[in-house]
Amino acid sequence: MSKRITSWEKHKMMMIFVVLIFLLAFILMRIGYTLYVMNCCSDKPIYVQRSIKSLVVLGSGGHTGEMLKIIRALDVCRYSPRVYVVAATDTVSLRRLQDMEKEFKERAKGPDEEDQYVVEIVPRSREVGQSWLSSVFTTAWAFVFSMLIVFRHRPSLLLTNGPGTCVPICIAAFIMRVLCLSQIRIVFIESLCRVLSLSLSGKILYRVVDDFFVQWPQLKAKYPRSIYMGRLV
């Protein structure tokens, strides 16, 4: 009997902890609203900005490979400065983006040119094999980190292709825009490997993002709000 009571109390305290985290996030958003609403409402639309501050979410494996191809195809002089969000345990993505940015730097004016990017490290929402119960708290913690990152950088563009890390980041950006804390255009590019169905991240964010790109006509037929322009990577 005591085990049941102890277990229940433990879960109850963990749920209270999650509620307090979201309450703290709400308070931070309200403070930000008071400080920045006048500036944000006078921001220029993204299509008239000469330089577009871009926040790019990277994920492990194929997600990073596809996203780096997309970044290489952009006018990196215009889409700068760039803020890369990388999961804490994803050292491969960090190394690959640093190699790419080094190429950009050398191509521009040489190795002495000032860096046009920063890297933000966030905790993973969920590790492979992690229990669903503990995932609730790691996701809440990742959301707090995401909220602070988006609030600190206030990018004009958020670009992602569906890694799990992107969900709290995109939701944080959406909340900030609803509260008029910042004008952020959220662009989601579904991975090339998603032919017949959306990824879990895509299903969650389908109604949240501004532009939802798919790379197969079958997905366009199933999800009419999506944009199909052929293969993008």
Side-chain angles (χ1 to χ4, degrees), residues 5 11 115 214:
I5 295 174
H11 291 166
D115 288 334
V214 295

Side-chain angles (χ1 to χ4, degrees), residues 27-112:
I27 293 172
L28 290 174
M29 288 188 293
R30 295 302 300 176
I31 293 174
Y33 178 81
T34 303
L35 295 175
Y36 291 106
V37 66
M38 295 305 296
N39 289 335
C40 128
C41 292
S42 62
D43 284 347
K44 293 182 179 179
I46 189 172
Y47 52 81
V48 298
Q49 296 178 18
R50 292 184 178 179
S51 180
I52 301 173
K53 189 173 186 178
S54 305
L55 191 151
V56 182
V57 185
L58 298 181
S60 57
H63 287 291
T64 290
E66 290 186 9
M67 182 54 69
L68 294 185
K69 287 181 181 179
I70 293 169
I71 298 300
R72 289 178 184 276
L74 296 176
D75 181 353
V76 292
C77 293
R78 186 182 185 202
Y79 291 90
S80 65
R82 291 171 294 282
V83 180
Y84 294 98
V85 176
V86 181
T89 56
D90 190 4
T91 57
V92 175
S93 293
L94 179 60
R95 185 178 68 251
R96 293 180 68 181
L97 81 86
Q98 289 173 336
D99 290 342
M100 180 186 70
E101 286 291 342
K102 184 178 179 180
E103 293 178 18
F104 291 161
K105 185 176 180 179
E106 293 175 348
R107 193 188 312 163
K109 293 182 180 179
D112 295 328

Side-chain angles (χ1 to χ4, degrees), residues 6-230:
T6 302
S7 177
W8 164 247
E9 290 179 346
K10 181 179 178 181
H11 291 166
K12 185 178 179 180
M13 291 183 65
M14 293 176 74
M15 291 304 296
I16 292 174
F17 175 70
V18 172
V19 171
L20 289 175
I21 288 178
F22 279 101
L23 181 61
L24 175 62
F26 177 77
I27 293 172
L28 290 174
M29 288 188 293
R30 295 302 300 176
I31 293 174
Y33 178 81
T34 303
L35 295 175
Y36 291 106
V37 66
M38 295 305 296
N39 289 335
C40 128
C41 292
S42 62
D43 284 347
K44 293 182 179 179
I46 189 172
Y47 52 81
V48 298
Q49 296 178 18
R50 292 184 178 179
S51 180
I52 301 173
K53 189 173 186 178
S54 305
L55 191 151
V56 182
V57 185
L58 298 181
S60 57
H63 287 291
T64 290
E66 290 186 9
M67 182 54 69
L68 294 185
K69 287 181 181 179
I70 293 169
I71 298 300
R72 289 178 184 276
L74 296 176
D75 181 353
V76 292
C77 293
R78 186 182 185 202
Y79 291 90
S80 65
R82 291 171 294 282
V83 180
Y84 294 98
V85 176
V86 181
T89 56
D90 190 4
T91 57
V92 175
S93 293
L94 179 60
R95 185 178 68 251
R96 293 180 68 181
L97 81 86
Q98 289 173 336
D99 290 342
M100 180 186 70
E101 286 291 342
K102 184 178 179 180
E103 293 178 18
F104 291 161
K105 185 176 180 179
E106 293 175 348
R107 193 188 312 163
K109 293 182 180 179
D112 295 328
E113 175 71 5
E114 185 178 351
D115 288 334
Q116 294 297 310
Y117 78 100
V118 295
V119 178
E120 291 283 1
I121 306 297
V122 296
R124 283 188 183 273
S125 299
R126 184 174 185 269
E127 295 284 359
V128 177
Q130 183 179 347
S131 68
W132 288 106
L133 178 60
S134 61
S135 295
V136 173
F137 308 103
T138 54
T139 299
W141 186 238
F143 176 77
V144 173
F145 265 77
S146 301
M147 201 74 209
L148 294 175
I149 289 172
V150 176
F151 180 78
R152 180 164 62 249
H153 292 286
R154 298 177 67 214
S156 299
L157 174 68
L158 194 163
L159 189 60
T160 183
N161 63 340
T165 309
C166 80
V167 175
I169 290 285
C170 289
I171 292 177
F174 178 77
I175 292 174
M176 289 191 64
R177 191 174 61 188
V178 168
L179 295 178
C180 197
L181 294 177
S182 184
Q183 294 180 357
I184 307 173
R185 189 165 194 88
I186 308 173
V187 177
F188 186 103
I189 303 174
E190 187 59 279
S191 175
L192 181 65
C193 67
R194 307 305 302 194
V195 180
L196 299 177
S197 62
L198 298 181
S199 61
L200 178 58
S201 299
K203 292 175 181 177
I204 295 172
L205 300 173
Y206 178 65
R207 298 288 181 183
V208 174
V209 303
D210 297 289
D211 303 303
F212 194 101
F213 288 90
V214 295
Q215 303 189 61
W216 296 93
Q218 298 93 318
L219 286 178
K220 171 61 180 176
K222 292 176 66 175
Y223 299 93
R225 186 177 177 273
S226 64
I227 303 170
Y228 173 66
M229 297 179 63

